[in-house]
Amino acid sequence: MAIERVETTALIQIKDLSRTYGEGPATVHALRGINLNIQQGEMVALMGPSGSGKSTLMNVLGLFDRATSGSYTLGGQDMTRLTGRQQANLRGRRIAFVFQGIHLLPRLTALSNVELPMSYARMSASQRKDAALNALRLLGVDQLKDRYPSQMSGGQAQRVAIARAIAPGPDLLLADEPTGALDRKSGTLVLEAFQSLHQETGVTIVIVTHDPYVAQHAERIIALEDGQVLSDTRVEERLIAHHEDEPSKGEQS
Amino acid sequence: MNTFAIAWDSIWHHRTRSFLTALGIIIGVFAVVTLTSLGSGVQQYVNQKFAGIGANLITVAPALPTSHSHSRHRSHPVGNGAAFQAVPSTLTAKDVHALDHSGTKALRSAAGVVTVPMLIAKGTTSSSAGIMGVSYPYYGMQRMTAKAGSLKGSGVVLGSSVAHDLFGKSSALGQHVTIGTKTFTVTGVLKSVSGAPGSDPNNTAYLPLSTAMALSNQTTVSEIILAASSAQNVNHAVTIANRILAKSHPSHNYRIITSQEILKTVTSTTSVITDFLAGIAGISLLVGGIGIMNIMLVTVSERFREIGIRKALGARDGDILVQFLTESVLLAVIGGAVGTILSGLATHILGKAVGIPAGLTVGSVATAVLFSIGVGAVFGVLPALRAARLMPAEALRTD
């Protein structure tokens, strides 16, 4: 992995990335030549109306989908040539997800839910439990560890879901409309949780949203339209200082 | 949470549905195991019966000639005694004598048998008993012993139920009975014996062979029973018997049947029937398997979301495959276990009622276990593969 990391330290490098569905005249161009670099430790919002290609880009970033052409490297590693099994090995460990709905497994406790990606990673029971409790504490929901999802509020459940994503120590946290199912107040709490998580651990976060309010919580907003990057802007100076202070942080695996 | 616990949790969560699904397997395994157990019970019963008669016995019966054509035999059935037989007898008292005095160790003794188509009566009381003429070694071969009198006398020997029918509790010995038109003295009474299926030695009266032949005006015997010195020597004894009979029967108009052959025929017949029935029962197992496949497909589509989440959290295709296969196999094995237990009860009760040694055998239990694992695995593969191949993005989009 380190051998290929000569050009830059960008965590994510995307070059001329295209994704089409179908063939001939019915071809749908979901992504038309995206070029994008995301640095280690950035907190980015990926914005755009539905049909803009943001979900497709998120699926490609999360190894849920493959690009038709172009390149995608994560931490210097080419992601376009991975086998299904290699993809699965990265998912949940180096790339973690927080989804729109409350995607906790209903018949597992908070703690078991948070341990799940680490048990798929074949980590030992004690390591799993330690990491899970740490993550729950980090999100301020460790007192909920023995509760089932049905015994939590929406905001609590989403914070448990973020704890689950963060527990294995991923390089990249992808969040797809993470506040979509929440009211504004709980949504704000969840967004603040993302921000403090970002400050404390320096994990790279990409939030996909159509909501400008949500996007305002990121450092950088990349707007997509019709499968292309429309704009790429920095939000404020207040958080940027953070990752420049610690340029080499991250890369925990 | 391990795979087994996840599978059990899912089965338990849908108890009613799981029970109904397992019911297909319960019925299928029950049918297969019960039929194979009963089949092997019948077989054991037959084996025991044959061992009781004596595996060392050989029957020489008349047959159509194999080397020369003797057409007169076909068109002229001989007299009274042979009337029940499709083939007229050609075996004589001389043959019996020659075989009984073979001078070899392997062929220990021979006994002639004739059937006398007459009734036995005491005064006006008649009996339903059959009359047979036998030479003395016959009693030993059939393990018959005297309860009173002797078996070597010149009079009639009565089977236990014949004696009871004609004389009640009073002693039959020395009394007179009429067979056909002649009067005989009872010189022996047999102890009650259990005989081969299809004949009742207790309800038979026995005359000395020559007396019986003269009485019924027969010149030939119905069949000759040979006793080999042991079951291992049967083939050797057959060779000797063939050599002796070849002199008086150059056309080879007889056939030799060993009890091994009869046993083999009966065994192969019962096993064909058992296999056939088990095959039909197997169809219900197949139907049960389809039930499992159906419910697993439902389970998979109900759990699209769960599968998507698990895959997003790093579950490999194999993890998902194993998870769903475990569930279908567990379901089938539970069904198989319940079916086997029920079958054990049923065969035990049935075996007791019918009087055959039926019960669960190691073989039938092993068959049931393998069958149910196989059914669960085979019919679980398709749904499990469908689950495993689900793209996480698709699975999570179904909000």
Side-chain angles (χ1 to χ4, degrees):
Chain A
M1 179 174 15
I3 301 162
E4 292 168 36
R5 298 187 64 181
V6 279
E7 296 174 15
T8 171
T9 54
L11 179 69
I12 295 172
Q13 291 179 57
I14 290 172
K15 276 186 197 148
D16 297 325
L17 195 79
S18 293
R19 178 72 173 101
T20 58
Y21 298 97
E23 283 175 8
T27 306
V28 176
H29 296 270
L31 297 176
R32 307 166 185 261
I34 304 269
N35 285 293
L36 202 58
N37 280 357
I38 295 173
Q39 303 299 319
Q40 181 84 53
E42 272 192 301
M43 183 165 171
V44 178
L46 209 54
M47 274 198 80
S50 56
S52 61
K54 65 182 193 305
S55 293
T56 308
L57 183 56
M58 150 104 183
N59 285 340
V60 172
L61 287 176
L63 306 178
F64 286 159
D65 198 359
R66 285 171 191 277
T68 311
S69 64
S71 73
Y72 163 32
T73 60
L74 177 73
Q77 193 180 1
D78 188 355
M79 295 286 120
T80 52
R81 284 184 184 76
L82 295 178
T83 65
R85 190 182 170 82
Q86 287 171 319
Q87 288 184 331
N89 284 337
L90 292 177
R91 267 202 300 270
R93 276 145 260 184
R94 288 189 59 199
I95 306 174
F97 306 91
V98 176
F99 307 99
Q100 175 175 11
I102 306 305
H103 280 169
L104 295 178
L105 293 183
R107 290 210 298 283
L108 298 183
T109 62
L111 184 64
S112 301
N113 260 292
V114 176
E115 284 187 24
L116 201 56
M118 295 179 284
S119 69
Y120 281 126
R122 313 284 191 261
M123 275 170 65
S124 75
S126 61
Q127 268 183 303
R128 255 179 4 222
K129 194 169 182 188
D130 288 349
L133 287 173
N134 271 334
L136 284 168
R137 214 170 290 130
L138 201 59
L139 273 297
V141 284
D142 50 330
Q143 76 284 1
L144 304 176
K145 67 184 170 67
D146 295 323
R147 290 210 198 160
Y148 289 90
S150 59
Q151 301 165 323
M152 303 172 197
S153 73
Q156 286 174 329
Q158 194 61 302
R159 275 184 285 164
V160 171
I162 297 169
R164 181 175 67 183
I166 205 76
D171 295 340
L172 174 62
L173 180 59
L174 289 173
D176 186 9
E177 302 281 8
T179 60
L182 302 175
D183 57 55
R184 178 54 48 105
K185 197 178 154 211
S186 318
T188 306
L189 284 171
V190 165
L191 289 169
E192 283 169 7
F194 272 113
Q195 285 178 327
S196 62
L197 189 69
H198 176 238
Q199 279 166 19
E200 283 170 46
T201 67
V203 64
T204 309
I205 300 176
V206 175
I207 299 177
V208 175
T209 183
H210 67 281
D211 184 350
Y213 174 77
V214 174
Q216 289 305 315
H217 289 75
E219 306 164 338
R220 179 181 166 195
I221 300 175
I222 300 168
L224 293 184
E225 197 174 270
D226 205 18
Q228 285 171 311
V229 177
L230 183 71
S231 66
D232 188 345
T233 51
R234 306 256 154 200
V235 179
E236 286 172 37
E237 295 299 315
R238 60 179 166 97
L239 294 172
I240 297 171
H242 167 72
H243 92 258
E244 283 174 350
D245 289 347
E246 299 165 286
S248 62
K249 204 179 167 189
E251 190 64 31
Q252 287 128 325
S253 57
Chain B
M1 220 174 168
N2 62 29
T3 319
F4 184 80
I6 295 170
W8 174 250
D9 182 61
S10 166
I11 289 172
W12 186 246
H13 188 74
H14 299 287
R15 284 181 285 278
T16 312
R17 185 163 99 183
S18 301
F19 170 72
L20 291 174
T21 310
L23 197 58
I25 299 298
I26 292 173
I27 292 169
V29 167
F30 174 80
V32 171
V33 172
T34 304
L35 285 170
T36 51
S37 300
L38 286 179
S40 70
V42 167
Q43 210 137 113
Q44 240 176 296
Y45 173 79
V46 170
N47 286 348
Q48 279 173 8
K49 282 291 170 195
F50 270 84
I53 296 165
N56 64 326
L57 296 188
I58 301 157
T59 305
V60 182
L64 290 174
T66 51
S67 50
H68 304 288
S69 171
H70 286 237
S71 57
R72 66 187 170 89
H73 285 302
R74 289 182 197 153
S75 49
H76 299 282
V78 184
N80 309 328
F84 336 102
Q85 290 169 315
V87 178
S89 182
T90 53
L91 301 168
T92 63
K94 261 189 195 166
D95 294 329
V96 177
H97 184 83
L99 290 166
D100 198 29
H101 297 83
S102 68
T104 62
K105 269 187 184 167
L107 181 49
R108 202 175 58 198
S109 59
V113 178
V114 289
T115 310
V116 180
M118 291 175 178
L119 289 176
I120 181 169
K122 186 200 84 175
T124 51
T125 322
S126 70
S127 156
S128 63
I131 318 291
M132 281 170 72
V134 297
S135 45
Y136 175 70
Y138 182 82
Y139 298 111
M141 292 174 186
Q142 303 294 337
R143 297 182 191 171
M144 291 168 168
T145 49
K147 189 167 77 180
S150 148
L151 304 178
K152 269 192 162 166
S154 59
V156 62
V157 173
L158 300 182
S160 59
S161 34
V162 185
H164 185 262
D165 286 351
L166 294 177
F167 298 98
K169 282 178 182 167
S170 61
S171 170
L173 211 60
Q175 303 284 328
H176 295 287
V177 291
T178 50
I179 297 174
T181 53
K182 294 203 170 163
T183 304
F184 294 90
T185 309
V186 177
T187 51
V189 177
L190 292 168
K191 273 187 192 160
S192 175
V193 289
S194 67
S199 73
D200 186 0
N202 298 322
N203 195 30
T204 304
Y206 300 90
L207 286 168
L209 184 64
S210 52
T211 312
M213 287 171 76
L215 177 66
S216 58
N217 201 21
Q218 294 182 72
T219 53
T220 57
V221 299
S222 311
E223 58 184 22
I224 302 170
I225 313 287
L226 309 177
S229 56
S230 69
Q232 286 73 34
N233 279 335
V234 163
N235 287 339
H236 189 40
V238 167
T239 313
I240 294 163
N242 266 323
R243 201 190 306 141
I244 292 167
L245 288 170
K247 290 170 195 160
S248 50
H249 299 270
S251 67
H252 204 277
N253 53 2
Y254 63 90
R255 65 200 165 99
I256 292 183
I257 308 143
T258 62
S259 50
Q260 248 85 2
E261 271 165 19
I262 299 171
L263 184 58
K264 226 184 272 172
T265 311
V266 174
T267 302
S268 71
T269 309
T270 51
S271 75
V272 164
I273 293 171
T274 304
D275 290 351
F276 177 68
L277 290 175
I280 292 175
I283 293 173
S284 63
L285 204 51
L286 184 77
V287 173
I290 293 169
I292 284 195
M293 176 149 71
N294 196 20
I295 219 66
M296 288 309 296
L297 285 171
V298 171
T299 302
V300 168
S301 51
E302 275 179 355
R303 285 154 73 186
F304 263 24
R305 235 169 111 95
E306 179 197 322
I307 296 163
I309 296 170
R310 288 184 184 277
K311 292 194 100 171
L313 297 178
R316 299 171 192 89
D317 289 4
D319 292 323
I320 303 292
L321 186 79
V322 166
Q323 183 187 330
F324 282 90
L325 263 186
T326 305
E327 193 171 326
S328 63
V329 169
L330 187 62
L331 201 53
V333 166
I334 290 170
V338 174
T340 308
I341 291 167
L342 289 179
S343 169
L345 288 174
T347 48
H348 184 75
I349 292 166
L350 261 174
K352 276 255 168 89
V354 181
I356 58 170
L360 289 185
T361 58
V362 177
S364 62
V365 172
T367 311
V369 169
L370 288 179
F371 253 115
S372 41
I373 290 176
V375 163
V378 167
F379 290 98
V381 161
L382 181 73
L385 274 179
R386 182 171 286 192
R389 289 191 182 145
L390 205 63
M391 284 298 291
E394 280 169 50
L396 290 171
R397 209 173 285 143
T398 55
D399 282 331

